[in-house]
Amino acid sequence: VAQDIINNVKLKCCGIKVLYKNKQGITMCGIVGYIGFRDAYPILIQGLKRLEYRGYDSAGVALINNEGVMNVYKEKGKVSNLEALTSQRDISGQIGIAHTRWATHGEPSAINAHPHVSQSGRLALVHNGIIENYSNLKILLEKEGYTFKSSTDTEVLVQLIEYMQKKYDKSLENATIMALRMVVGAYAIAVIDKNCPDKIVVARKSSPLVIGIGADHKEFFIASDALPIVEYTKQMVYLNDNEVALLKIGKKIEINNLNYEDITPEVKEVNISLESLEKGGFEHFMLKEIYDQPRCMADCMRGRLLLNEKRIVLSTINMHRERLMKAERFIIVACGTSWHAGLIGKQLIEQWANIPVEVEYASEFRYRNPVISPDDVVIAISQSGETADTLAAFQLAKENKAMCFGIVNVVGSSIARASDTGIYIHVGPEIGVASTKAFTGQVTVLTLFALALGHERGTISKEEYESTIEELGNIPEKIKSVLAKDEEIKDIARSLTYAENALYMGRGFNYPVALEGALKLKEISYIHAEGYPAAEMKHGPIALIDENMPVVFVATHHQLYKKIISNIEEVKARNGRIIAVVTEGDEAVKEIAEATIEVPSTLASLAPLLSAIPLQLIAYHVAVEKGLNVDQPRNLAKSVTVE
Ligand code: G6P
């Protein structure tokens, strides 16, 4: 019957091509919902604040009060603007949904903000994703007399659900399934109906959605990730693609897929401490996360780096030894900072395990016809585990039967779940949009993996294996000693405040560090910065150098040290301003540079774990000095689920 209805509706599209093939295109926003016995508003607002890192163009909330009236408030800008709007208004109600938005369709405005309400005012819906065929659906609905207030794809979806509900006299959950069967695109949605204030319907495809279950099913929480839920319950269900869940007070969760088949919910116990979500006395999350790094590294290596026994234990190698040993090639796919970590991983794996590694921007990889063989291992590196391009690249690898190996921070995220195996970096929630501790966590995991693999394959000498293990154990303390130089770094950073451009140079293992340093500066201080392998300077960037161009060199005492000194001299000869990260006790660079920052001596292969820290701090202090929003820089989002 359902199929007949769908077909019927499809026919009614009068030749409009409702279904088409492109399944890409996802967006990033945060959604929160609550149903139960408490006041929903404070839970929703607090939840939005925890999700604000996902987007902060506008925010909104819909609540059904005890008289069955639905109040919807929406405001442009941050959640605090929404709070200002709702003061003195009716915010009562024990059921509600809320949203923080990063605009895709339609400019950031109160009208385009979610929740969107259906024509009759009965339904409200929040959505994270993109409905790709929304314009065709809109034409269909307009023919049926529907009118639209906003220019969003989401409003089309809520109208479509209402259309199904009315036309076919269906329950909210069945109408939602019927509507979603017509939708092409990506979504995590939550819908409420003021005529049925005892339920919320949620659904997911390609955008994350977590359900928290209160005691005896007397309350339910929903959110884009576990952060808004964790203070209320640890029992969570991660909805899978094409699933629709009915959350009804006093009843167990009912899940159906889009073919109306019953799905048994898989309840997981999630343990994240709320304390780890707070700023812990620091002015910004980014600074807290930079300072977290010694502890994060220790957490990341715990149980994996056995210092006394001088060995590394990784369950992924124990469980998948044969498959990993026969790998002919690794392909690393990632974006942004994670891609930089991948470049370091390539050098480590090639050096120790003697297996060729390619490092690809996930967004490029997924759209060409890459050669992937079943003997390849494709490593996706992602802090959030939700980056759309990385996930799609991974899916491509899966289709080609390669092994999918995830290096992810967020437990239970989409990439984590799509992995055949992998290693969590375990650095705890990273809230600052500019990634810091996740980068060092990723590099740490790649180091452990490359060492362990090299050892298994017999391609690393016992001496190098053991001495690297020993030195890895020293790195957290050495990071602490870099952090102790923060005041000095802050002074040096001041000299960059008014720069319009900056160059970052490094060689060998420090080349990706230079890229990462430049990215950090761009992201949060809005200064144009480029990273280069230092020897490439003479093939172009040198033309930019004059007395106004700061050049940050990562020139620690390793095999290419002498060569990089020549590069520094070349900048000096053109009056460039030189800031250099050097090894403790360095003399040669100090003589030439305007300022140097010393980091403790370590092995070349581990240098990035130390030299990245001053560059993170430089970017941080420049942004603070410029009075910018460090944790939520303009136009960026933490979890880029948009292609
Ligand atoms: C965004 C973030 C970056 C991050 C990149 C990849 O651009 O702002 O900090 O490096 O996405 O994110 P992922 O979660 O996949 O590591």
Side-chain angles (χ1 to χ4, degrees), residues 86-113:
T86 51
S87 66
Q88 316 293 327
R89 311 269 182 113
D90 178 8
I91 48 165
S92 64
Q94 290 156 349
I95 167 170
I97 52 177
H99 189 270
T100 173
R101 174 168 187 253
W102 188 83
T104 54
H105 290 78
E107 58 167 333
S109 68
I111 285 202
N112 286 337

Side-chain angles (χ1 to χ4, degrees), residues 334-339 381-388 390 407 415 430 432-436 438 442 516 519-520 523 633 636-640:
C335 303
T337 290
S338 301
W339 185 79
I381 306 178
S382 175
Q383 186 287 128
S384 61
E386 300 294 347
T387 302
T390 311
I407 295 184
I415 293 175
E430 190 182 63
V433 165
S435 185
T436 51
Q442 290 162 344
E516 175 60 7
L519 178 65
K520 290 285 87 79
E523 282 179 310
L636 296 177
K638 184 75 189 153
S639 179
V640 181

Side-chain angles (χ1 to χ4, degrees), residues 6 96 103 142 170 190 197 202 495 514 516 544-545 552 554 636 641:
I6 298 293
E142 277 167 350
K170 289 284 167 187
V202 296
S495 70
E516 175 60 7
L544 298 168
I545 291 169
V552 180
V554 191
L636 296 177
T641 43

Side-chain angles (χ1 to χ4, degrees), residues 303-350:
R304 296 168 170 169
L305 184 85
L306 307 186
L307 278 173
N308 291 341
E309 299 169 35
K310 292 199 176 139
R311 66 189 183 100
I312 290 165
V313 180
L314 293 175
S315 55
T316 179
I317 294 195
N318 291 340
M319 289 162 68
H320 301 275
R321 182 174 281 102
E322 205 184 319
R323 179 70 185 76
L324 288 168
M325 294 300 274
K326 75 166 197 201
E328 301 216 325
R329 178 174 68 149
F330 284 95
I331 304 171
I332 295 178
V333 290
C335 303
T337 290
S338 301
W339 185 79
H340 295 155
L343 292 179
I344 298 169
K346 169 187 168 74
Q347 297 190 40
L348 295 168
I349 296 171
E350 289 186 346

